[in-house]
Amino acid sequence: MAEEKINLLEKRKAQVHEGGEFAMEAEKQSLAGSVSQRSCSFCGSRVVLYPIADAIHIVHGPIGCASYTWDIRGALSSGPELHRLSFSTDMQEKDVIYGGEGKLYNAISELIDEYKPSAAFIYSTCIIGVIGDDVEAICKKVQNEKGIPVIPVDSEGFKGSKKEGYKAACDALFKIVGEDEPDAQKVPKSVNILGDFNLAGEIWIIKDYYERMGVKVVSTVSGDGRVDEIRKAGRAHLNIVQCSGSVSNLAKMLETEYGTPMIRASYFGIEDMSKALYDVADFFDDDEMRMGAQRVIKEEVAKLMPQLAPYRKDLTGKKAAVYTGGAFKVFSLVRSLRTLGMDVVVAGSQTGSVDDYKLLTELCDPGTVILDDTNPLELAKYVKEKDVDLFIGGVKERPIAYKIGVGFCDHNHERKEALAGFIGMLNFAREVHSSVMSPVWQFAPRRAGKKLD
Amino acid sequence: MSCNCGKTCAPVDDAAHACTADDKAKCGCGPSGGNFTTAGTAEHRDSTSVHSVSSSEAGGKKLTGENFTATRNACKLCAPLGACLAFRGIEGCLPFLHGSQGCATYIRRYMISHFREPMDIASSSFGEESVVFGGRRNLFDGLNHVIEGYEPAVIGIATTCLAETIGDDVNMYVKEYISADAKRVNLPHILRVSTPSYAGSHADGYQWAVRAIVDQLAVDGPNEKFIGIFPGMVSPADLRHLRELMEDFEMDFSIVPDYSDPLDGPVWGDYHKIPAGGTPAREIAKLGRASAVIELASTIADKQSAASLLDEKFSTAVFRVGLPIGIRQTDKFCNVLEQITGRPLPAKHDAERGRLIDCYVDGHKYTFGKEVVIYGEEDFVVGMTAFCCEIGLKPVLCASGGKSGKLSECIREAAPELDPETPILEGIDFAEIEVAAFNLKPDLLIGNSKGFSLSRKTGIPLIRFGFPIHDRISGPRTLHLGYRGAQRLYDTIVDKLMEMKQESNDIGYTYI
Ligand code: SF4
């Protein structure tokens, strides 16, 4: 087959920055037929609420949405594991015609009796909005009967991209907050860790650092999440919101209702992780805490650096492409890859804003291609043109890289390796190293320098 | 003293050491680190941790747990997925889902982790306004962009449950689209199929799409010496094997659809917008003139069968045999081929059959009487049950999330020796299979990788056949069909049983 030339769709040109003056557009609805890598608002709310392990998650709609999200994430729990089960009302033709309210009522009631959860989240999928089931009324009814929160999640897929789903999830979460003791006192020197999902136990790593520097963690949302803990979220002094922004809406609501301020953090890479610890000490303006942070960082970095050295030696000068869901993660990845001696030459995200991309352009070397809401063809085009050695993305991006003979690392909600914290940096280095340095690439036509097809 | 699982754990002489997780892992009755106790001991677990089985269930005869309204851990997927798979098997075709963006993304993600190949699926990306005013605009935009970006020869549009519910008339839209652009020379074929996910599973969606593809492409004409094959939802390795078998029969044929190359292809030098391979549209057009078509499906209803459609439209000779899994089912298929082509089974395949029987003989003691639970798509379960029965395994439950109403009848026909007591259950989910497994205590589970959590919890080994396989790399290359496929299945199963036997005694015999 002749070499295929991939051209940008006319209507997508404003969402790609190839250098020169910065004039990108972003935050637009995906172009129909563009084969966007994005998903829908159902996906967004499922991602955020999924890790709450003592709640049951019931997908109201036909079976697909529930099947495709069964035990899909790497979110770990230190106790119950209800989140790993997949419940659906599995709507049939007659339910669509006559409405699914009765079925939903029975489904929730029976599941609560069987699994004795602390709460139930009821996700509405696409067609529920159309057939008009009164999900809220049913939730109220079951809630009254069973005495646990039964919370509707407004997550019809067509309502928008993941971001709208994040918002729906935060609305749902906020219904639980403050449910216990109305006048509870704030816990001294305490924080909530928001926006981390405990993939491969990452929240345990972060929590350990904070606790070692003398900070109490009131709740974690939603990694290793428990309904009771979320109830208490109003008692913390500070909300630390992981960069992805998925739960920033919850943080905003906590700020309005409980006066709890928020700071952003990222736990990926040495620089961002250290900053996340210092920022908390600075917020409390507490010298003891500052020294605690310093001690943690010193200990961890002293352990880490010599271990990173051999990887750095091999990886220096190699090139990477990065495409993730949220934009902030890209910043951390650019820095982490630099720590390993690598350059990012293609970068982008599904949901970044114009400001995010502007910052990204400044952070990266000139000539780096910046992509918003891109698709397989564009990714393939730039990965090939820039001749990268590594692609970091999610499961859907993996075959794009592999097909053209490029190493790949997973950095999304499904990953099973902890990449956060200092230890995560070591895991990351290891994974990048094994992806880039594997001898298998010598057989890929790209490397062999000959065309096989 | 031995493990109280009822099987043969390594004997331990100190009661305090009885039944450690390690012992159980060795015995094969439990995963290492797991907290599971097999049924019979009916240990209650934290009710919030996993599906709990009450002692009455575990001790009693109950087979599938309470009759739940909700589906818990479904043993099926939605119809548009099946349609996308079928479309991927048409040369130059880009699958296109009419509906919201999420369906396309989830289905892509799901297929990618089985096939580990690019699986681009376009979407008309509905927003709220499309739900109110209909998806016509989005469909037109989507088609324009797909043609501009991918230059496909064919576009396969399947509807999602959302588009179906708002009542979008895709056929009409497409007609409008084509007539508005009548002057365009390079307009691709635009195939449509209606796949409301609330009307059937992924297996149905696949069949609906095959039928729609044939309906929209096959044209009448003078008869040709040409055979059409509808292979069912099988693996790329299966499709390759079917192709080889047909070639060896030296007759013109077409497999519809054939995704063996698009979904199990080589590494590329350049990125290909649409992977090479698949059944060309012109071959499908010839089906209207075929001397015969063979449909490898047993539970299929007439209204979803592409073969029945050809019969209705063109009076084509139709042969329907189930998936050729195992010797007897493959014999049936080969007999049909012999009949149509007038040629005997090619020597190569006859020799494979002979070697396979030789292996059946060599391994029969390991399989005899071992109990298995089989689950998956209905046609797969029919074929797999027939195979298991012929090698002496004893199916104790045959289960599918599909609901054709025909599963039982088809299994009884394909495997007449199956114990009449063996339950055959349609519309089942994994929570129900789990209760059954607790009670039936089979030696093996046979099915796709979705049974893994159940296997881990019950300690019953899982042999991964079928679709999807997310937790192994071999899914697309697993050969199930023909004598060669039966050989592969047989070797896998017997090797596993021998390993279990070897590890379940403390001596660890080296000759078994
Ligand atoms: S919305 Fe419907 S078509 Fe889409 S994934 Fe869910 S069940 Fe399938």
Side-chain angles (χ1 to χ4, degrees), chain A residues 347-376:
Chain A
S349 81
Q350 288 171 20
T351 53
S353 67
V354 172
D355 287 346
D356 296 337
Y357 295 127
K358 195 147 194 227
L359 272 172
L360 190 58
T361 313
E362 284 156 18
L363 178 66
C364 294
D365 291 331
T368 299
V369 177
I370 312 287
L371 301 162
D372 172 56
D373 182 22
T374 186
N375 53 59

PDB file of all heavy atoms in Angstrom, chain A residues 347-376:
ATOM      1  N   ALA A 347       1.801  16.935  22.502  1.00  0.00           N
ATOM      2  CA  ALA A 347       1.087  16.909  23.774  1.00  0.00           C
ATOM      3  C   ALA A 347      -0.346  17.346  23.566  1.00  0.00           C
ATOM      4  O   ALA A 347      -0.622  18.196  22.719  1.00  0.00           O
ATOM      5  CB  ALA A 347       1.760  17.831  24.791  1.00  0.00           C
ATOM      6  N   GLY A 348      -1.254  16.767  24.326  1.00  0.00           N
ATOM      7  CA  GLY A 348      -2.638  17.189  24.182  1.00  0.00           C
ATOM      8  C   GLY A 348      -3.533  16.527  25.200  1.00  0.00           C
ATOM      9  O   GLY A 348      -3.082  15.696  25.989  1.00  0.00           O
ATOM     10  N   SER A 349      -4.814  16.932  25.198  1.00  0.00           N
ATOM     11  CA  SER A 349      -5.756  16.354  26.133  1.00  0.00           C
ATOM     12  C   SER A 349      -7.159  16.378  25.534  1.00  0.00           C
ATOM     13  O   SER A 349      -7.405  17.040  24.541  1.00  0.00           O
ATOM     14  CB  SER A 349      -5.749  17.124  27.448  1.00  0.00           C
ATOM     15  OG  SER A 349      -6.543  18.282  27.313  1.00  0.00           O
ATOM     16  N   GLN A 350      -8.050  15.617  26.181  1.00  0.00           N
ATOM     17  CA  GLN A 350      -9.430  15.556  25.695  1.00  0.00           C
ATOM     18  C   GLN A 350     -10.219  16.793  26.082  1.00  0.00           C
ATOM     19  O   GLN A 350     -11.131  17.197  25.367  1.00  0.00           O
ATOM     20  CB  GLN A 350     -10.143  14.333  26.285  1.00  0.00           C
ATOM     21  CG  GLN A 350      -9.683  13.004  25.722  1.00  0.00           C
ATOM     22  CD  GLN A 350     -10.270  11.817  26.489  1.00  0.00           C
ATOM     23  OE1 GLN A 350     -11.271  11.946  27.190  1.00  0.00           O
ATOM     24  NE2 GLN A 350      -9.646  10.675  26.356  1.00  0.00           N
ATOM     25  N   THR A 351      -9.886  17.387  27.247  1.00  0.00           N
ATOM     26  CA  THR A 351     -10.797  18.389  27.789  1.00  0.00           C
ATOM     27  C   THR A 351     -10.120  19.685  28.245  1.00  0.00           C
ATOM     28  O   THR A 351     -10.702  20.418  29.039  1.00  0.00           O
ATOM     29  CB  THR A 351     -11.548  17.792  29.009  1.00  0.00           C
ATOM     30  OG1 THR A 351     -10.568  17.288  29.911  1.00  0.00           O
ATOM     31  CG2 THR A 351     -12.490  16.691  28.601  1.00  0.00           C
ATOM     32  N   GLY A 352      -8.908  19.967  27.778  1.00  0.00           N
ATOM     33  CA  GLY A 352      -8.222  21.163  28.252  1.00  0.00           C
ATOM     34  C   GLY A 352      -8.904  22.464  27.797  1.00  0.00           C
ATOM     35  O   GLY A 352      -9.715  22.459  26.883  1.00  0.00           O
ATOM     36  N   SER A 353      -8.545  23.579  28.458  1.00  0.00           N
ATOM     37  CA  SER A 353      -9.075  24.882  28.044  1.00  0.00           C
ATOM     38  C   SER A 353      -7.985  25.613  27.257  1.00  0.00           C
ATOM     39  O   SER A 353      -6.827  25.190  27.239  1.00  0.00           O
ATOM     40  CB  SER A 353      -9.446  25.703  29.277  1.00  0.00           C
ATOM     41  OG  SER A 353      -8.260  26.032  29.978  1.00  0.00           O
ATOM     42  N   VAL A 354      -8.367  26.711  26.634  1.00  0.00           N
ATOM     43  CA  VAL A 354      -7.389  27.485  25.866  1.00  0.00           C
ATOM     44  C   VAL A 354      -6.218  27.894  26.755  1.00  0.00           C
ATOM     45  O   VAL A 354      -5.057  27.803  26.361  1.00  0.00           O
ATOM     46  CB  VAL A 354      -8.069  28.729  25.239  1.00  0.00           C
ATOM     47  CG1 VAL A 354      -7.042  29.638  24.605  1.00  0.00           C
ATOM     48  CG2 VAL A 354      -9.106  28.292  24.216  1.00  0.00           C
ATOM     49  N   ASP A 355      -6.538  28.300  27.991  1.00  0.00           N
ATOM     50  CA  ASP A 355      -5.477  28.709  28.909  1.00  0.00           C
ATOM     51  C   ASP A 355      -4.519  27.566  29.210  1.00  0.00           C
ATOM     52  O   ASP A 355      -3.305  27.754  29.280  1.00  0.00           O
ATOM     53  CB  ASP A 355      -6.074  29.219  30.226  1.00  0.00           C
ATOM     54  CG  ASP A 355      -6.706  30.592  30.038  1.00  0.00           C
ATOM     55  OD1 ASP A 355      -6.432  31.213  28.973  1.00  0.00           O
ATOM     56  OD2 ASP A 355      -7.479  31.013  30.915  1.00  0.00           O
ATOM     57  N   ASP A 356      -5.105  26.366  29.397  1.00  0.00           N
ATOM     58  CA  ASP A 356      -4.254  25.198  29.652  1.00  0.00           C
ATOM     59  C   ASP A 356      -3.256  25.012  28.514  1.00  0.00           C
ATOM     60  O   ASP A 356      -2.063  24.782  28.730  1.00  0.00           O
ATOM     61  CB  ASP A 356      -5.089  23.911  29.741  1.00  0.00           C
ATOM     62  CG  ASP A 356      -6.050  23.925  30.910  1.00  0.00           C
ATOM     63  OD1 ASP A 356      -5.788  24.681  31.866  1.00  0.00           O
ATOM     64  OD2 ASP A 356      -7.051  23.184  30.866  1.00  0.00           O
ATOM     65  N   TYR A 357      -3.770  25.113  27.303  1.00  0.00           N
ATOM     66  CA  TYR A 357      -2.906  24.848  26.153  1.00  0.00           C
ATOM     67  C   TYR A 357      -1.848  25.936  25.984  1.00  0.00           C
ATOM     68  O   TYR A 357      -0.747  25.697  25.517  1.00  0.00           O
ATOM     69  CB  TYR A 357      -3.743  24.692  24.877  1.00  0.00           C
ATOM     70  CG  TYR A 357      -4.634  23.468  24.933  1.00  0.00           C
ATOM     71  CD1 TYR A 357      -6.001  23.558  24.692  1.00  0.00           C
ATOM     72  CD2 TYR A 357      -4.107  22.221  25.252  1.00  0.00           C
ATOM     73  CE1 TYR A 357      -6.812  22.432  24.760  1.00  0.00           C
ATOM     74  CE2 TYR A 357      -4.913  21.090  25.335  1.00  0.00           C
ATOM     75  CZ  TYR A 357      -6.270  21.204  25.091  1.00  0.00           C
ATOM     76  OH  TYR A 357      -7.069  20.099  25.169  1.00  0.00           O
ATOM     77  N   LYS A 358      -2.236  27.140  26.367  1.00  0.00           N
ATOM     78  CA  LYS A 358      -1.279  28.230  26.288  1.00  0.00           C
ATOM     79  C   LYS A 358      -0.105  27.945  27.220  1.00  0.00           C
ATOM     80  O   LYS A 358       1.070  28.038  26.838  1.00  0.00           O
ATOM     81  CB  LYS A 358      -1.994  29.524  26.699  1.00  0.00           C
ATOM     82  CG  LYS A 358      -1.245  30.725  26.331  1.00  0.00           C
ATOM     83  CD  LYS A 358      -2.153  31.881  25.989  1.00  0.00           C
ATOM     84  CE  LYS A 358      -1.260  32.884  25.314  1.00  0.00           C
ATOM     85  NZ  LYS A 358      -1.349  34.197  25.716  1.00  0.00           N
ATOM     86  N   LEU A 359      -0.454  27.574  28.449  1.00  0.00           N
ATOM     87  CA  LEU A 359       0.586  27.241  29.428  1.00  0.00           C
ATOM     88  C   LEU A 359       1.454  26.085  28.933  1.00  0.00           C
ATOM     89  O   LEU A 359       2.684  26.101  29.061  1.00  0.00           O
ATOM     90  CB  LEU A 359      -0.073  26.796  30.734  1.00  0.00           C
ATOM     91  CG  LEU A 359      -0.402  27.892  31.733  1.00  0.00           C
ATOM     92  CD1 LEU A 359      -1.215  27.320  32.886  1.00  0.00           C
ATOM     93  CD2 LEU A 359       0.909  28.495  32.262  1.00  0.00           C
ATOM     94  N   LEU A 360       0.767  25.115  28.347  1.00  0.00           N
ATOM     95  CA  LEU A 360       1.467  23.935  27.857  1.00  0.00           C
ATOM     96  C   LEU A 360       2.461  24.321  26.769  1.00  0.00           C
ATOM     97  O   LEU A 360       3.606  23.851  26.751  1.00  0.00           O
ATOM     98  CB  LEU A 360       0.428  22.943  27.326  1.00  0.00           C
ATOM     99  CG  LEU A 360       0.891  21.541  26.968  1.00  0.00           C
ATOM    100  CD1 LEU A 360       1.541  20.864  28.171  1.00  0.00           C
ATOM    101  CD2 LEU A 360      -0.302  20.697  26.493  1.00  0.00           C
ATOM    102  N   THR A 361       2.035  25.198  25.892  1.00  0.00           N
ATOM    103  CA  THR A 361       2.918  25.668  24.821  1.00  0.00           C
ATOM    104  C   THR A 361       4.165  26.317  25.404  1.00  0.00           C
ATOM    105  O   THR A 361       5.279  26.136  24.904  1.00  0.00           O
ATOM    106  CB  THR A 361       2.182  26.688  23.926  1.00  0.00           C
ATOM    107  OG1 THR A 361       0.904  26.153  23.616  1.00  0.00           O
ATOM    108  CG2 THR A 361       2.941  26.960  22.654  1.00  0.00           C
ATOM    109  N   GLU A 362       3.943  27.090  26.490  1.00  0.00           N
ATOM    110  CA  GLU A 362       5.092  27.758  27.107  1.00  0.00           C
ATOM    111  C   GLU A 362       6.018  26.761  27.806  1.00  0.00           C
ATOM    112  O   GLU A 362       7.233  26.906  27.793  1.00  0.00           O
ATOM    113  CB  GLU A 362       4.596  28.810  28.106  1.00  0.00           C
ATOM    114  CG  GLU A 362       4.089  30.057  27.394  1.00  0.00           C
ATOM    115  CD  GLU A 362       3.076  30.851  28.230  1.00  0.00           C
ATOM    116  OE1 GLU A 362       3.012  30.639  29.465  1.00  0.00           O
ATOM    117  OE2 GLU A 362       2.340  31.668  27.628  1.00  0.00           O
ATOM    118  N   LEU A 363       5.408  25.741  28.393  1.00  0.00           N
ATOM    119  CA  LEU A 363       6.203  24.754  29.129  1.00  0.00           C
ATOM    120  C   LEU A 363       7.043  23.876  28.187  1.00  0.00           C
ATOM    121  O   LEU A 363       8.174  23.514  28.505  1.00  0.00           O
ATOM    122  CB  LEU A 363       5.254  23.882  29.963  1.00  0.00           C
ATOM    123  CG  LEU A 363       5.860  22.743  30.785  1.00  0.00           C
ATOM    124  CD1 LEU A 363       6.743  23.319  31.893  1.00  0.00           C
ATOM    125  CD2 LEU A 363       4.757  21.895  31.417  1.00  0.00           C
ATOM    126  N   CYS A 364       6.484  23.557  27.028  1.00  0.00           N
ATOM    127  CA  CYS A 364       7.186  22.663  26.105  1.00  0.00           C
ATOM    128  C   CYS A 364       8.180  23.434  25.248  1.00  0.00           C
ATOM    129  O   CYS A 364       8.119  24.650  25.142  1.00  0.00           O
ATOM    130  CB  CYS A 364       6.183  21.963  25.190  1.00  0.00           C
ATOM    131  SG  CYS A 364       5.100  20.839  26.048  1.00  0.00           S
ATOM    132  N   ASP A 365       9.052  22.669  24.605  1.00  0.00           N
ATOM    133  CA  ASP A 365      10.010  23.302  23.694  1.00  0.00           C
ATOM    134  C   ASP A 365       9.269  23.820  22.465  1.00  0.00           C
ATOM    135  O   ASP A 365       8.233  23.286  22.095  1.00  0.00           O
ATOM    136  CB  ASP A 365      11.057  22.273  23.246  1.00  0.00           C
ATOM    137  CG  ASP A 365      11.963  21.883  24.400  1.00  0.00           C
ATOM    138  OD1 ASP A 365      12.160  22.728  25.311  1.00  0.00           O
ATOM    139  OD2 ASP A 365      12.449  20.737  24.414  1.00  0.00           O
ATOM    140  N   PRO A 366       9.819  24.863  21.810  1.00  0.00           N
ATOM    141  CA  PRO A 366       9.176  25.377  20.607  1.00  0.00           C
ATOM    142  C   PRO A 366       9.040  24.254  19.571  1.00  0.00           C
ATOM    143  O   PRO A 366       9.910  23.384  19.475  1.00  0.00           O
ATOM    144  CB  PRO A 366      10.136  26.449  20.108  1.00  0.00           C
ATOM    145  CG  PRO A 366      11.079  26.734  21.222  1.00  0.00           C
ATOM    146  CD  PRO A 366      11.059  25.586  22.152  1.00  0.00           C
ATOM    147  N   GLY A 367       7.951  24.285  18.838  1.00  0.00           N
ATOM    148  CA  GLY A 367       7.765  23.270  17.801  1.00  0.00           C
ATOM    149  C   GLY A 367       6.956  22.076  18.275  1.00  0.00           C
ATOM    150  O   GLY A 367       6.548  21.234  17.481  1.00  0.00           O
ATOM    151  N   THR A 368       6.701  21.996  19.602  1.00  0.00           N
ATOM    152  CA  THR A 368       5.871  20.904  20.105  1.00  0.00           C
ATOM    153  C   THR A 368       4.440  21.060  19.585  1.00  0.00           C
ATOM    154  O   THR A 368       3.876  22.147  19.640  1.00  0.00           O
ATOM    155  CB  THR A 368       5.871  20.911  21.646  1.00  0.00           C
ATOM    156  OG1 THR A 368       7.204  20.718  22.089  1.00  0.00           O
ATOM    157  CG2 THR A 368       4.984  19.817  22.211  1.00  0.00           C
ATOM    158  N   VAL A 369       3.875  19.974  19.088  1.00  0.00           N
ATOM    159  CA  VAL A 369       2.508  20.020  18.576  1.00  0.00           C
ATOM    160  C   VAL A 369       1.530  19.874  19.743  1.00  0.00           C
ATOM    161  O   VAL A 369       1.659  18.961  20.555  1.00  0.00           O
ATOM    162  CB  VAL A 369       2.273  18.883  17.562  1.00  0.00           C
ATOM    163  CG1 VAL A 369       0.823  18.884  17.082  1.00  0.00           C
ATOM    164  CG2 VAL A 369       3.220  19.008  16.388  1.00  0.00           C
ATOM    165  N   ILE A 370       0.564  20.790  19.828  1.00  0.00           N
ATOM    166  CA  ILE A 370      -0.419  20.738  20.915  1.00  0.00           C
ATOM    167  C   ILE A 370      -1.781  20.409  20.298  1.00  0.00           C
ATOM    168  O   ILE A 370      -2.200  21.034  19.330  1.00  0.00           O
ATOM    169  CB  ILE A 370      -0.509  22.104  21.642  1.00  0.00           C
ATOM    170  CG1 ILE A 370       0.886  22.642  21.994  1.00  0.00           C
ATOM    171  CG2 ILE A 370      -1.422  22.010  22.861  1.00  0.00           C
ATOM    172  CD1 ILE A 370       1.595  21.955  23.108  1.00  0.00           C
ATOM    173  N   LEU A 371      -2.463  19.419  20.885  1.00  0.00           N
ATOM    174  CA  LEU A 371      -3.711  18.921  20.302  1.00  0.00           C
ATOM    175  C   LEU A 371      -4.852  18.968  21.304  1.00  0.00           C
ATOM    176  O   LEU A 371      -4.707  18.532  22.440  1.00  0.00           O
ATOM    177  CB  LEU A 371      -3.536  17.459  19.875  1.00  0.00           C
ATOM    178  CG  LEU A 371      -2.450  17.150  18.854  1.00  0.00           C
ATOM    179  CD1 LEU A 371      -2.115  15.661  18.876  1.00  0.00           C
ATOM    180  CD2 LEU A 371      -2.897  17.573  17.471  1.00  0.00           C
ATOM    181  N   ASP A 372      -6.016  19.476  20.861  1.00  0.00           N
ATOM    182  CA  ASP A 372      -7.207  19.425  21.712  1.00  0.00           C
ATOM    183  C   ASP A 372      -8.215  18.448  21.106  1.00  0.00           C
ATOM    184  O   ASP A 372      -8.433  18.465  19.891  1.00  0.00           O
ATOM    185  CB  ASP A 372      -7.855  20.813  21.810  1.00  0.00           C
ATOM    186  CG  ASP A 372      -9.196  20.748  22.532  1.00  0.00           C
ATOM    187  OD1 ASP A 372      -9.214  20.262  23.673  1.00  0.00           O
ATOM    188  OD2 ASP A 372     -10.219  21.177  21.949  1.00  0.00           O
ATOM    189  N   ASP A 373      -8.825  17.604  21.944  1.00  0.00           N
ATOM    190  CA  ASP A 373      -9.873  16.662  21.512  1.00  0.00           C
ATOM    191  C   ASP A 373      -9.512  16.008  20.186  1.00  0.00           C
ATOM    192  O   ASP A 373     -10.260  16.120  19.206  1.00  0.00           O
ATOM    193  CB  ASP A 373     -11.230  17.386  21.412  1.00  0.00           C
ATOM    194  CG  ASP A 373     -12.357  16.415  21.013  1.00  0.00           C
ATOM    195  OD1 ASP A 373     -12.194  15.200  21.225  1.00  0.00           O
ATOM    196  OD2 ASP A 373     -13.382  16.892  20.491  1.00  0.00           O
ATOM    197  N   THR A 374      -8.389  15.350  20.149  1.00  0.00           N
ATOM    198  CA  THR A 374      -7.910  14.834  18.873  1.00  0.00           C
ATOM    199  C   THR A 374      -8.476  13.449  18.579  1.00  0.00           C
ATOM    200  O   THR A 374      -9.413  12.986  19.226  1.00  0.00           O
ATOM    201  CB  THR A 374      -6.364  14.834  18.857  1.00  0.00           C
ATOM    202  OG1 THR A 374      -5.900  14.473  17.589  1.00  0.00           O
ATOM    203  CG2 THR A 374      -5.812  13.869  19.890  1.00  0.00           C
ATOM    204  N   ASN A 375      -7.935  12.786  17.577  1.00  0.00           N
ATOM    205  CA  ASN A 375      -8.476  11.507  17.106  1.00  0.00           C
ATOM    206  C   ASN A 375      -7.329  10.628  16.595  1.00  0.00           C
ATOM    207  O   ASN A 375      -6.196  11.091  16.467  1.00  0.00           O
ATOM    208  CB  ASN A 375      -9.510  11.772  16.010  1.00  0.00           C
ATOM    209  CG  ASN A 375      -8.946  12.653  14.911  1.00  0.00           C
ATOM    210  OD1 ASN A 375      -7.952  12.305  14.277  1.00  0.00           O
ATOM    211  ND2 ASN A 375      -9.543  13.809  14.709  1.00  0.00           N
ATOM    212  N   PRO A 376      -7.607   9.367  16.300  1.00  0.00           N
ATOM    213  CA  PRO A 376      -6.527   8.443  15.932  1.00  0.00           C
ATOM    214  C   PRO A 376      -5.697   8.920  14.745  1.00  0.00           C
ATOM    215  O   PRO A 376      -4.468   8.766  14.749  1.00  0.00           O
ATOM    216  CB  PRO A 376      -7.269   7.148  15.566  1.00  0.00           C
ATOM    217  CG  PRO A 376      -8.555   7.223  16.282  1.00  0.00           C
ATOM    218  CD  PRO A 376      -8.913   8.663  16.383  1.00  0.00           C
TER     219      PRO A 376
END
